[in-house]
Amino acid sequence: MPSDFLVRTVTGLEDLTAAELTEAGHRVADITKRQLIVEAAGPLDTRLADDVFTIRASAADPGHTRAGLLRAVAELTAHLAPEPGISVTASFTGTRNFSRYDIEDAIGGRLGVPYFSRRHGTPPPPGTTDLRVTLDGKVMWLGVRPHQAPLHRRAWRKATVVGSLHPPVAAAMARLADIRPGHVVLDPCCGAGTLLIEARIQEPGASYHGRDLDPKAIQAARENDPAIAWRTEERNPDRILANPPWGVRLPAVESFSRTWPEAARLVAILAEGQRLDARWRVVQTHPLTVAGRHPRIVVALIGK
Ligand SMILES: C[S@@+](CC[C@H](N)C(=O)[O-])C[C@H]1O[C@@H](n2cnc3c(N)ncnc32)[C@H](O)[C@@H]1O
C-alpha cells in the first residue's frame, strides 16, 4: 500500500528532485514551489530533498481570509488524534490576511495538549512532535516527519567553513555531473568538502580529489570524510565540481579550464553576475533561491 509524502525542496530543485524520486520508482503526483507530493513505492531515500513528511491530513486551501483559515483548520484536524505535545511549522504561497503563526496557533489550539507556539521564537522542548503544514494554493497539507532530524542535516557534517554549501544543492550538482565508476572528480575550492562527500555517497566507485587555498578548509574536509584525497596531486579530472567563492568574478574559474582543459564536464554553482570563461560551453542552467540569494547551477562542457 503506497504512502503519500510531502517532500520539501530548495526553490529551483523541484524538477531535479522529482526526477530523482521517479527514477527510484516513486510516483510524483504534484509539483508546486518548493514542494512535491509523492506516492512512495517503498522507503523514500532522497539526497536532493530538504525534508520529507508523511501526510496525515489535507483540506482545500482556505484562500486568503482568517475565517477561511479557521474553517480549513477545523476540517484538517477533525480526524487527527491528539498528541502528547506538539509544535507546528507552517508555510504558504501567495498573499494571505494571516501569518504563518496564525496558522500554527490555529492548529495547535485545536490539537495539542500541551502546544508549543513558535510565535515568540522559543524552541519547543525535545520530544515534541512537530507538525508541518503547507498551503500550496490548492491544498492545505499536514504532515509529520518520519525521522528525527531534517533530511538536509547530514550526519557526516562535523565541521563547516564560511560559505559551506547546502547539502541537497551539492547532491543535485553531483547528480548533474553524471559521475561514473572509475571517473576522477576534482573540486578545486573544496571548502569543508560538501560537494565531493555528497558525490561519493551517490557514486562510491569514482576517485575524489579536493583542494583548497585554506588549510583550515582542508582540515574541516578531512574531519567530514577522511576517506577522500584532500589536497593531493590529482590526475586529469573527468569531472569538476565547483563552488567558487561568491563575489569572485572569475579568475578562479578561468584558471580551471586552462589547467584542466581535458575535463569532460564542469558543474558549478555561480553567484548572480558570476560567469565561466569563454571556453566553457554552458549546456544547462538551473536557477535557485537559497537563503535569500539567487545563484544558479551550470553544467558546462569544454569546446564548441
Ligand atoms: C564557497 S567555499 C566552498 C564551500 C564548499 N563547497 C563547502 O560546501 O564546504 C569556497 C572555498 O574556496 C576557497 N578558495 C578561494 N580561492 C581559492 C583559490 N584560488 N584556490 C583554491 N581555493 C580557493 C576558499 O578557501 C573556500 O574554502
Side-chain angles (χ1 to χ4, degrees), residues 173 176-180 182-186 235-242 256-268 276 279-284 298-304:
M173 291 172 65
L176 288 167
D178 187 26
I179 299 165
R180 312 279 172 85
H183 273 168
V184 174
V185 184
L186 171 69
R235 288 177 287 136
N236 294 334
D238 302 289
R239 299 288 187 264
I240 296 177
L241 287 168
F256 301 164
S257 61
R258 283 212 195 101
T259 315
W260 298 288
E262 58 289 293
R265 184 184 285 230
L266 163 78
V267 180
L276 296 177
R279 265 175 293 182
W280 290 108
R281 181 166 54 89
V282 173
V283 292
Q284 283 181 46
V298 296
V299 180
L301 309 177
I302 275 287
K304 305 204 162 123

Side-chain angles (χ1 to χ4, degrees), residues 156-157 159-166 170 187-196 211-215 217-218 224 242-246 248 252 255-256 269:
W156 60 255
R157 186 170 254 183
T160 56
V161 296
V162 174
S164 282
L165 203 51
H166 189 55
D187 181 347
C189 340
C190 65
T194 312
L195 273 167
L196 295 188
R211 300 199 331 190
D212 200 286
L213 207 58
D214 182 354
I218 294 292
N224 286 331
N243 173 204
W246 288 8
V248 168
S255 71
F256 301 164
I269 182 161

Side-chain angles (χ1 to χ4, degrees), residues 56-77:
R56 287 271 181 85
S58 63
D61 185 296
H64 66 279
T65 66
R66 281 167 177 268
L69 173 66
L70 295 181
R71 276 195 300 275
V73 166
E75 187 188 335
L76 191 74
T77 54

Side-chain angles (χ1 to χ4, degrees), residues 81-123:
E83 299 271 352
I86 62 159
S87 60
V88 184
T89 303
S91 58
F92 56 82
T93 57
T95 308
R96 317 276 177 158
N97 290 344
F98 47 80
S99 71
R100 61 167 274 205
Y101 302 112
D102 296 332
I103 305 171
E104 293 171 7
D105 289 353
I107 292 170
R110 289 187 67 93
L111 274 188
V113 195
Y115 160 65
F116 301 96
S117 174
R118 292 177 179 274
R119 190 181 285 271
H120 304 294
T122 315

